Amino acid sequence: MKKQNLSDYDPSLVPSGKGRRIGIVVAEWNREITDALAQGAIDTLHKYDVDDKDILLVHVPGSFELTTGADLLLRNKPELDAVIGVGCVIQGETRHFDFICEAVSQGLTNCALKHEKPVVFSLLTTNNYEQAQDRAGGKHGNKGVEGAITALKMIDLQKQLETK
Ligand code: RBF
């Protein structure tokens, strides 16, 4: 089966981001990785004409806080069209990995449904640091790029359906 990798996306299928306002909440744990993911997202939003002033970047201590960060953004900045949650959780010796991944996936889902806005899950969940590097601008692309494309596509879908 061919691996799905949105980093090899078809640019003609990505909606314009002109006038779109997007929040990005970035976890500080594994900062080298999360900064690369966030930069990939920002560069992609620029590429699709999202204005720099329409991108709001905030940081939270760790991935567990991504849900609260996304919720705070959508509550206090209602003009945002979507939020991208960026983090990196690396499997360790403890069960923290499972707890954090589960909490973030459920939390961001709930946040999207509560605020009725797209909330994108750009969380790397890898076995080791090298696998994270491979997905943050390495041989498996940059999942931040994919997060930005997902946000633009989901905003477009929402606008299309709401105007019908
Ligand atoms: N946060 C991450 O974003 N990535 C991690 O790999 C990560 N590993 C953690 C491992 C342990 C044992 C603990 C206690 C926390 C970890 N965190 C990690 C931080 C977590 O997301 C959160 O910031 C803290 O638990 C405080 O709520």
Side-chain angles (χ1 to χ4, degrees), residues 142-163:
N142 184 322
K143 298 292 168 191
V145 170
E146 302 182 22
I149 293 169
T150 302
L152 293 175
K153 287 187 169 180
M154 290 304 293
I155 294 167
D156 193 61
L157 176 65
Q158 180 165 29
K159 304 277 180 206
Q160 276 182 42
L161 292 172
E162 285 178 355
T163 51

PDB file of all heavy atoms in Angstrom, residues 142-163:
ATOM      1  N   ASN A 142       7.495  17.156   6.308  1.00  0.00           N
ATOM      2  CA  ASN A 142       7.297  17.990   7.504  1.00  0.00           C
ATOM      3  C   ASN A 142       5.810  17.985   7.823  1.00  0.00           C
ATOM      4  O   ASN A 142       4.988  18.483   7.048  1.00  0.00           O
ATOM      5  CB  ASN A 142       7.800  19.415   7.232  1.00  0.00           C
ATOM      6  CG  ASN A 142       7.714  20.301   8.463  1.00  0.00           C
ATOM      7  OD1 ASN A 142       6.758  20.208   9.227  1.00  0.00           O
ATOM      8  ND2 ASN A 142       8.703  21.154   8.647  1.00  0.00           N
ATOM      9  N   LYS A 143       5.477  17.398   8.961  1.00  0.00           N
ATOM     10  CA  LYS A 143       4.055  17.261   9.328  1.00  0.00           C
ATOM     11  C   LYS A 143       3.422  18.620   9.627  1.00  0.00           C
ATOM     12  O   LYS A 143       2.188  18.727   9.661  1.00  0.00           O
ATOM     13  CB  LYS A 143       3.896  16.318  10.526  1.00  0.00           C
ATOM     14  CG  LYS A 143       4.370  14.901  10.255  1.00  0.00           C
ATOM     15  CD  LYS A 143       3.481  14.179   9.257  1.00  0.00           C
ATOM     16  CE  LYS A 143       4.107  12.893   8.770  1.00  0.00           C
ATOM     17  NZ  LYS A 143       3.418  12.283   7.634  1.00  0.00           N
ATOM     18  N   GLY A 144       4.240  19.647   9.837  1.00  0.00           N
ATOM     19  CA  GLY A 144       3.700  21.000  10.001  1.00  0.00           C
ATOM     20  C   GLY A 144       3.117  21.510   8.698  1.00  0.00           C
ATOM     21  O   GLY A 144       2.079  22.191   8.674  1.00  0.00           O
ATOM     22  N   VAL A 145       3.775  21.169   7.585  1.00  0.00           N
ATOM     23  CA  VAL A 145       3.257  21.519   6.251  1.00  0.00           C
ATOM     24  C   VAL A 145       1.869  20.887   6.091  1.00  0.00           C
ATOM     25  O   VAL A 145       0.900  21.537   5.673  1.00  0.00           O
ATOM     26  CB  VAL A 145       4.214  20.990   5.148  1.00  0.00           C
ATOM     27  CG1 VAL A 145       3.590  21.120   3.767  1.00  0.00           C
ATOM     28  CG2 VAL A 145       5.561  21.688   5.224  1.00  0.00           C
ATOM     29  N   GLU A 146       1.773  19.623   6.455  1.00  0.00           N
ATOM     30  CA  GLU A 146       0.511  18.904   6.318  1.00  0.00           C
ATOM     31  C   GLU A 146      -0.574  19.515   7.207  1.00  0.00           C
ATOM     32  O   GLU A 146      -1.746  19.589   6.828  1.00  0.00           O
ATOM     33  CB  GLU A 146       0.710  17.426   6.656  1.00  0.00           C
ATOM     34  CG  GLU A 146       1.755  16.794   5.762  1.00  0.00           C
ATOM     35  CD  GLU A 146       1.954  15.301   6.013  1.00  0.00           C
ATOM     36  OE1 GLU A 146       1.045  14.655   6.560  1.00  0.00           O
ATOM     37  OE2 GLU A 146       3.021  14.792   5.638  1.00  0.00           O
ATOM     38  N   GLY A 147      -0.161  19.961   8.396  1.00  0.00           N
ATOM     39  CA  GLY A 147      -1.119  20.596   9.314  1.00  0.00           C
ATOM     40  C   GLY A 147      -1.697  21.860   8.712  1.00  0.00           C
ATOM     41  O   GLY A 147      -2.912  22.122   8.800  1.00  0.00           O
ATOM     42  N   ALA A 148      -0.842  22.650   8.068  1.00  0.00           N
ATOM     43  CA  ALA A 148      -1.304  23.907   7.452  1.00  0.00           C
ATOM     44  C   ALA A 148      -2.269  23.615   6.307  1.00  0.00           C
ATOM     45  O   ALA A 148      -3.315  24.263   6.176  1.00  0.00           O
ATOM     46  CB  ALA A 148      -0.102  24.703   6.950  1.00  0.00           C
ATOM     47  N   ILE A 149      -1.938  22.633   5.485  1.00  0.00           N
ATOM     48  CA  ILE A 149      -2.810  22.280   4.360  1.00  0.00           C
ATOM     49  C   ILE A 149      -4.157  21.774   4.878  1.00  0.00           C
ATOM     50  O   ILE A 149      -5.221  22.132   4.361  1.00  0.00           O
ATOM     51  CB  ILE A 149      -2.130  21.228   3.461  1.00  0.00           C
ATOM     52  CG1 ILE A 149      -0.914  21.858   2.783  1.00  0.00           C
ATOM     53  CG2 ILE A 149      -3.096  20.684   2.427  1.00  0.00           C
ATOM     54  CD1 ILE A 149      -0.025  20.869   2.081  1.00  0.00           C
ATOM     55  N   THR A 150      -4.099  20.956   5.916  1.00  0.00           N
ATOM     56  CA  THR A 150      -5.340  20.440   6.510  1.00  0.00           C
ATOM     57  C   THR A 150      -6.205  21.589   7.017  1.00  0.00           C
ATOM     58  O   THR A 150      -7.430  21.607   6.795  1.00  0.00           O
ATOM     59  CB  THR A 150      -5.013  19.466   7.663  1.00  0.00           C
ATOM     60  OG1 THR A 150      -4.211  18.411   7.134  1.00  0.00           O
ATOM     61  CG2 THR A 150      -6.268  18.892   8.286  1.00  0.00           C
ATOM     62  N   ALA A 151      -5.588  22.546   7.683  1.00  0.00           N
ATOM     63  CA  ALA A 151      -6.350  23.696   8.201  1.00  0.00           C
ATOM     64  C   ALA A 151      -7.035  24.432   7.042  1.00  0.00           C
ATOM     65  O   ALA A 151      -8.233  24.725   7.105  1.00  0.00           O
ATOM     66  CB  ALA A 151      -5.433  24.637   8.968  1.00  0.00           C
ATOM     67  N   LEU A 152      -6.282  24.707   5.967  1.00  0.00           N
ATOM     68  CA  LEU A 152      -6.865  25.445   4.833  1.00  0.00           C
ATOM     69  C   LEU A 152      -8.010  24.665   4.188  1.00  0.00           C
ATOM     70  O   LEU A 152      -9.048  25.231   3.834  1.00  0.00           O
ATOM     71  CB  LEU A 152      -5.781  25.761   3.789  1.00  0.00           C
ATOM     72  CG  LEU A 152      -4.706  26.751   4.253  1.00  0.00           C
ATOM     73  CD1 LEU A 152      -3.619  26.901   3.187  1.00  0.00           C
ATOM     74  CD2 LEU A 152      -5.309  28.104   4.592  1.00  0.00           C
ATOM     75  N   LYS A 153      -7.820  23.359   4.062  1.00  0.00           N
ATOM     76  CA  LYS A 153      -8.874  22.533   3.458  1.00  0.00           C
ATOM     77  C   LYS A 153     -10.122  22.477   4.347  1.00  0.00           C
ATOM     78  O   LYS A 153     -11.245  22.529   3.852  1.00  0.00           O
ATOM     79  CB  LYS A 153      -8.357  21.112   3.217  1.00  0.00           C
ATOM     80  CG  LYS A 153      -7.372  21.028   2.053  1.00  0.00           C
ATOM     81  CD  LYS A 153      -7.030  19.579   1.737  1.00  0.00           C
ATOM     82  CE  LYS A 153      -6.274  19.484   0.421  1.00  0.00           C
ATOM     83  NZ  LYS A 153      -5.927  18.109   0.067  1.00  0.00           N
ATOM     84  N   MET A 154      -9.921  22.362   5.636  1.00  0.00           N
ATOM     85  CA  MET A 154     -11.072  22.260   6.542  1.00  0.00           C
ATOM     86  C   MET A 154     -11.821  23.584   6.665  1.00  0.00           C
ATOM     87  O   MET A 154     -13.058  23.606   6.760  1.00  0.00           O
ATOM     88  CB  MET A 154     -10.623  21.756   7.923  1.00  0.00           C
ATOM     89  CG  MET A 154     -10.197  20.293   7.932  1.00  0.00           C
ATOM     90  SD  MET A 154     -11.477  19.181   7.309  1.00  0.00           S
ATOM     91  CE  MET A 154     -12.733  19.346   8.575  1.00  0.00           C
ATOM     92  N   ILE A 155     -11.077  24.696   6.657  1.00  0.00           N
ATOM     93  CA  ILE A 155     -11.741  26.009   6.688  1.00  0.00           C
ATOM     94  C   ILE A 155     -12.587  26.164   5.433  1.00  0.00           C
ATOM     95  O   ILE A 155     -13.747  26.587   5.479  1.00  0.00           O
ATOM     96  CB  ILE A 155     -10.700  27.157   6.765  1.00  0.00           C
ATOM     97  CG1 ILE A 155      -9.940  27.113   8.081  1.00  0.00           C
ATOM     98  CG2 ILE A 155     -11.389  28.509   6.587  1.00  0.00           C
ATOM     99  CD1 ILE A 155      -8.700  27.995   8.099  1.00  0.00           C
ATOM    100  N   ASP A 156     -12.001  25.781   4.299  1.00  0.00           N
ATOM    101  CA  ASP A 156     -12.712  25.891   3.028  1.00  0.00           C
ATOM    102  C   ASP A 156     -13.992  25.044   3.042  1.00  0.00           C
ATOM    103  O   ASP A 156     -15.051  25.502   2.610  1.00  0.00           O
ATOM    104  CB  ASP A 156     -11.775  25.447   1.896  1.00  0.00           C
ATOM    105  CG  ASP A 156     -12.308  25.829   0.535  1.00  0.00           C
ATOM    106  OD1 ASP A 156     -12.476  27.039   0.297  1.00  0.00           O
ATOM    107  OD2 ASP A 156     -12.579  24.930  -0.279  1.00  0.00           O
ATOM    108  N   LEU A 157     -13.887  23.839   3.553  1.00  0.00           N
ATOM    109  CA  LEU A 157     -15.067  22.957   3.633  1.00  0.00           C
ATOM    110  C   LEU A 157     -16.151  23.598   4.499  1.00  0.00           C
ATOM    111  O   LEU A 157     -17.335  23.622   4.135  1.00  0.00           O
ATOM    112  CB  LEU A 157     -14.653  21.600   4.220  1.00  0.00           C
ATOM    113  CG  LEU A 157     -15.784  20.604   4.446  1.00  0.00           C
ATOM    114  CD1 LEU A 157     -16.414  20.189   3.121  1.00  0.00           C
ATOM    115  CD2 LEU A 157     -15.277  19.368   5.194  1.00  0.00           C
ATOM    116  N   GLN A 158     -15.730  24.118   5.647  1.00  0.00           N
ATOM    117  CA  GLN A 158     -16.698  24.747   6.548  1.00  0.00           C
ATOM    118  C   GLN A 158     -17.391  25.928   5.860  1.00  0.00           C
ATOM    119  O   GLN A 158     -18.610  26.066   5.910  1.00  0.00           O
ATOM    120  CB  GLN A 158     -15.988  25.211   7.824  1.00  0.00           C
ATOM    121  CG  GLN A 158     -16.944  25.886   8.803  1.00  0.00           C
ATOM    122  CD  GLN A 158     -16.366  26.023  10.190  1.00  0.00           C
ATOM    123  OE1 GLN A 158     -15.157  26.136  10.367  1.00  0.00           O
ATOM    124  NE2 GLN A 158     -17.233  26.024  11.185  1.00  0.00           N
ATOM    125  N   LYS A 159     -16.614  26.782   5.209  1.00  0.00           N
ATOM    126  CA  LYS A 159     -17.203  27.969   4.553  1.00  0.00           C
ATOM    127  C   LYS A 159     -18.162  27.536   3.432  1.00  0.00           C
ATOM    128  O   LYS A 159     -19.232  28.113   3.278  1.00  0.00           O
ATOM    129  CB  LYS A 159     -16.115  28.868   3.958  1.00  0.00           C
ATOM    130  CG  LYS A 159     -15.071  29.320   4.954  1.00  0.00           C
ATOM    131  CD  LYS A 159     -15.503  30.539   5.763  1.00  0.00           C
ATOM    132  CE  LYS A 159     -14.403  30.932   6.748  1.00  0.00           C
ATOM    133  NZ  LYS A 159     -14.840  31.642   7.922  1.00  0.00           N
ATOM    134  N   GLN A 160     -17.747  26.529   2.664  1.00  0.00           N
ATOM    135  CA  GLN A 160     -18.615  26.050   1.574  1.00  0.00           C
ATOM    136  C   GLN A 160     -19.955  25.555   2.113  1.00  0.00           C
ATOM    137  O   GLN A 160     -21.012  25.909   1.601  1.00  0.00           O
ATOM    138  CB  GLN A 160     -17.972  24.867   0.866  1.00  0.00           C
ATOM    139  CG  GLN A 160     -16.975  25.227  -0.206  1.00  0.00           C
ATOM    140  CD  GLN A 160     -16.466  23.939  -0.855  1.00  0.00           C
ATOM    141  OE1 GLN A 160     -17.234  23.029  -1.123  1.00  0.00           O
ATOM    142  NE2 GLN A 160     -15.169  23.895  -1.087  1.00  0.00           N
ATOM    143  N   LEU A 161     -19.905  24.746   3.166  1.00  0.00           N
ATOM    144  CA  LEU A 161     -21.136  24.152   3.697  1.00  0.00           C
ATOM    145  C   LEU A 161     -22.003  25.197   4.379  1.00  0.00           C
ATOM    146  O   LEU A 161     -23.233  25.146   4.292  1.00  0.00           O
ATOM    147  CB  LEU A 161     -20.804  23.011   4.659  1.00  0.00           C
ATOM    148  CG  LEU A 161     -20.170  21.789   3.982  1.00  0.00           C
ATOM    149  CD1 LEU A 161     -19.701  20.785   5.023  1.00  0.00           C
ATOM    150  CD2 LEU A 161     -21.152  21.130   3.023  1.00  0.00           C
ATOM    151  N   GLU A 162     -21.374  26.143   5.039  1.00  0.00           N
ATOM    152  CA  GLU A 162     -22.146  27.149   5.768  1.00  0.00           C
ATOM    153  C   GLU A 162     -22.820  28.166   4.851  1.00  0.00           C
ATOM    154  O   GLU A 162     -23.763  28.826   5.270  1.00  0.00           O
ATOM    155  CB  GLU A 162     -21.255  27.862   6.796  1.00  0.00           C
ATOM    156  CG  GLU A 162     -21.001  26.966   8.002  1.00  0.00           C
ATOM    157  CD  GLU A 162     -20.086  27.578   9.044  1.00  0.00           C
ATOM    158  OE1 GLU A 162     -19.542  28.675   8.816  1.00  0.00           O
ATOM    159  OE2 GLU A 162     -19.900  26.932  10.084  1.00  0.00           O
ATOM    160  N   THR A 163     -22.310  28.302   3.635  1.00  0.00           N
ATOM    161  CA  THR A 163     -22.939  29.279   2.737  1.00  0.00           C
ATOM    162  C   THR A 163     -24.014  28.632   1.869  1.00  0.00           C
ATOM    163  O   THR A 163     -24.658  29.297   1.083  1.00  0.00           O
ATOM    164  CB  THR A 163     -21.897  29.969   1.826  1.00  0.00           C
ATOM    165  OG1 THR A 163     -21.105  28.962   1.203  1.00  0.00           O
ATOM    166  CG2 THR A 163     -21.009  30.920   2.592  1.00  0.00           C
TER     167      THR A 163
END
